[in-house]
Amino acid sequence: MNLVSPAPEERLKGGELAGERLRVLVISQHFWPESFRINEVVESLRLEGCDVEVLSGQPNYPVGKVFGGYSAFNFGTERHPSGYAIHRVPVVPRGGGGGIRRIFNYFSFVILGGMLGPYLTRSKRYDIVFVYAISPILQGLVGAVFRHIKGAAHVIWVQDLWPESLEETGFIKNGWALAAVGRLTLFIYRRADLLLTQSRGFIEKIRLVVGDSVPIAYHPNPGDMLLGENVSHESSSLKLPAGFNVVFAGNLGTAQALETVLDAASRIHDSEIRIILVGSGSRSEWLREQIERRRLTNVMLAGRFPPEVMPKIFEQSSALLVTLKRSSALSLTIPSKIPSYLAAGRPIVACLDGEAADIIRDASAGITTPAEDPVRLADAITSLKDMSQESRDRMGKAGREYFNSHFAPAPLARELINHFRNALARQGRTRR
């Protein structure tokens, strides 16, 4: 998201260290112009006074083809429209998302990030190396290289549990392979000065792996900056039809239990209710085929839209939908769309288990049902539609208030800076 940073004299001093700005290198295989939450975290850190640079790959997610203006084989440094440096290394594009191609994609970033990243940043000094560890956790190896070369404190923000997420999504089924991934994960964790988790439920799982050798703290994903400010200057090319529109936004993949969404839609007979799927992913084509085969006139595949127009799409919605598969690992996960949903001020229908469902209930922001239960999901959507507008507005308002208290970007950026300072303090103790 192309936000303009204030002039240096206007910045807060939260990111200053001993009179100097805290120098942060963010390592993330995916970054702007790809749409990931780390894009806005970088903007928030800069607004709080940090000097931030990014090491990333060539953008190719989610379609699997390198974006126009980029090349899979190039490496170098570009400037984000906001002015900061993005160091790019070559990657093997994801392609259609098949297992072998994805493995090459992952390892190309790890190997070339660890080799070419130090060259691209050879004249730079950093206080913090901050790894945005969406799958794969392998990105932590690149952070460990920079920790060694640059002498910076190494902070890993864990977004997915490994190897649990690999096993439960079926990406790896072999027991020996899963055990090897577990050992590699432990190796990566132990080379961090601080582990942050996007969910409180991750903490105990990771503690069982690393013991007390590395501190662990909870740090949630923030919501969308524009949604939090309740402003949108971009018009959306998606105009929702009249009626009760339930919008699902984000990745259309295996973990999202999309069979449950279609099964629920087939049980809804109210002609005013529509489920709008906004996004793309590995199951987009499967969804298109299933909608046609089942003749589901109440499900619409809208495609992908840039983040800056999502506030307008949410504004048109009657409710927002989030679903996940039933699994012990996913029950500990908080989908990154939930803070954005809360900020949007619309009632939420959540068909999932665990910590994410607890958040919706604690916020009084919508209706929750067990994961992979299409009957209860259909009933929840119908019940929400039958409520008074006043009741739905109350849910939306409660969600916005919960967002402001728990997921607003600026307070979370200041909290993240405090985590960085703690990591620096620990690094000083352990390296003496």
Side-chain angles (χ1 to χ4, degrees):
M1 192 169 295
N2 302 346
L3 303 178
V4 178
S5 298
E9 63 271 13
E10 295 173 340
R11 292 179 180 170
L12 299 177
K13 296 185 179 180
E16 292 188 357
L17 179 70
E20 297 181 357
R21 297 191 186 282
L22 198 64
R23 296 161 299 191
V24 181
L25 176 67
V26 172
I27 295 177
S28 176
Q29 178 167 351
H30 299 290
F31 194 70
W32 174 91
E34 297 165 309
S35 180
F36 283 84
R37 187 60 61 201
I38 189 62
N39 301 358
E40 294 186 324
V41 173
V42 167
E43 297 286 358
S44 296
L45 288 172
R46 295 182 73 244
L47 290 170
E48 293 300 323
C50 293
D51 284 337
V52 185
E53 296 185 354
V54 179
L55 176 68
S56 189
Q58 303 295 332
N60 68 106
Y61 182 91
V63 294
K65 297 179 180 178
V66 174
F67 288 19
Y70 295 87
S71 168
F73 305 105
N74 283 353
F75 69 98
T77 299
E78 66 173 307
R79 287 281 165 185
H80 186 273
S82 294
Y84 59 89
I86 305 174
H87 308 286
R88 302 274 186 190
V89 300
V91 292
V92 175
R94 293 168 60 93
I100 298 299
R101 190 67 175 264
R102 285 170 66 180
I103 289 171
F104 278 116
N105 173 254
Y106 297 157
F107 277 97
S108 64
F109 177 74
V110 172
I111 295 168
L112 295 172
M115 293 173 59
L116 296 177
Y119 172 77
L120 291 172
T121 61
R122 58 195 180 279
S123 62
K124 304 287 187 175
R125 294 176 57 218
Y126 304 106
D127 304 300
I128 299 290
V129 173
F130 181 47
V131 178
Y132 178 60
I134 57 171
S135 287
I137 192 67
L138 301 174
Q139 295 174 81
L141 292 170
V142 184
V145 170
F146 274 86
R147 180 182 188 261
H148 176 72
I149 292 174
K150 299 289 187 179
H154 184 201
V155 180
I156 301 178
W157 192 14
V158 181
Q159 299 288 316
D160 292 299
L161 286 176
W162 271 43
E164 292 90 342
S165 61
L166 293 176
E167 181 178 14
E168 295 193 7
T169 59
F171 190 76
I172 294 180
K173 299 178 181 179
N174 181 277
W176 290 100
L178 288 168
V181 171
R183 288 192 293 272
L184 179 59
T185 301
L186 173 60
F187 177 87
I188 292 168
Y189 284 163
R190 285 185 171 170
R191 273 138 192 87
D193 297 293
L194 173 64
L195 296 170
L196 300 177
T197 67
Q198 61 104 311
S199 160
R200 288 186 176 89
F202 283 13
I203 293 177
E204 187 57 35
K205 287 280 190 180
I206 295 175
R207 179 68 66 208
L208 290 173
V209 174
V210 301
D212 296 321
S213 60
V214 182
I216 308 169
Y218 168 63
H219 185 78
N221 283 301
D224 185 285
M225 295 174 78
L226 291 182
L227 282 168
E229 296 169 10
N230 196 26
V231 295
S232 175
H233 303 296
E234 300 286 341
S235 61
S236 168
S237 57
L238 177 63
K239 302 299 180 186
L240 300 188
F244 192 83
N245 295 303
V246 181
V247 171
F248 176 106
N251 184 45
L252 303 177
T254 304
Q256 282 68 46
L258 297 166
E259 300 93 335
T260 304
V261 175
L262 299 186
D263 290 344
S266 69
R267 295 172 178 273
I268 295 173
H269 303 294
D270 188 324
S271 61
E272 292 188 15
I273 296 175
R274 289 182 184 83
I275 298 174
I276 317 291
L277 303 175
V278 180
S280 61
S282 61
R283 307 209 75 189
S284 293
E285 190 56 38
W286 176 87
L287 281 166
R288 190 171 289 105
E289 293 169 356
Q290 287 292 308
I291 290 168
E292 184 176 346
R293 186 177 71 80
R294 300 188 191 199
R295 299 180 180 176
L296 294 174
T297 58
N298 58 355
V299 181
M300 172 181 166
L301 267 178
R304 283 183 70 231
F305 290 84
E308 54 267 25
V309 305
M310 292 308 296
K312 282 294 184 185
I313 294 175
F314 289 166
E315 217 174 78
Q316 298 176 65
S317 71
S318 306
L320 299 169
L321 173 64
V322 55
T323 58
L324 281 179
K325 289 178 68 68
R326 184 188 301 118
S327 82
S328 57
L330 290 175
S331 71
L332 302 176
T333 299
I334 303 172
S336 61
K337 63 167 64 72
I338 284 184
S340 294
Y341 279 10
L342 292 167
R346 289 291 186 269
I348 299 170
V349 181
C351 183
L352 39 70
D353 301 324
E355 190 165 345
D358 291 342
I359 288 173
I360 305 303
R361 287 191 289 266
D362 290 347
S364 300
I367 301 175
T368 64
T369 71
E372 297 191 59
D373 190 332
V375 176
R376 302 217 9 214
L377 176 57
D379 289 345
I381 292 172
T382 304
S383 297
L384 193 61
K385 190 260 183 181
D386 291 341
M387 286 182 185
S388 67
Q389 185 63 52
E390 181 183 5
S391 296
R392 294 196 295 267
D393 287 345
R394 270 200 304 271
M395 288 180 176
K397 182 180 178 182
R400 172 66 64 77
E401 291 172 350
Y402 194 90
F403 166 85
N404 289 335
S405 299
H406 297 82
F407 297 111
L412 283 177
R414 291 190 284 271
E415 196 174 294
L416 183 56
I417 289 167
N418 286 333
H419 287 309
F420 290 165
R421 288 173 173 154
N422 291 337
L424 280 167
R426 182 176 188 275
Q427 180 204 38
R429 290 194 299 271
T430 56
R431 294 195 182 187
R432 286 172 186 163

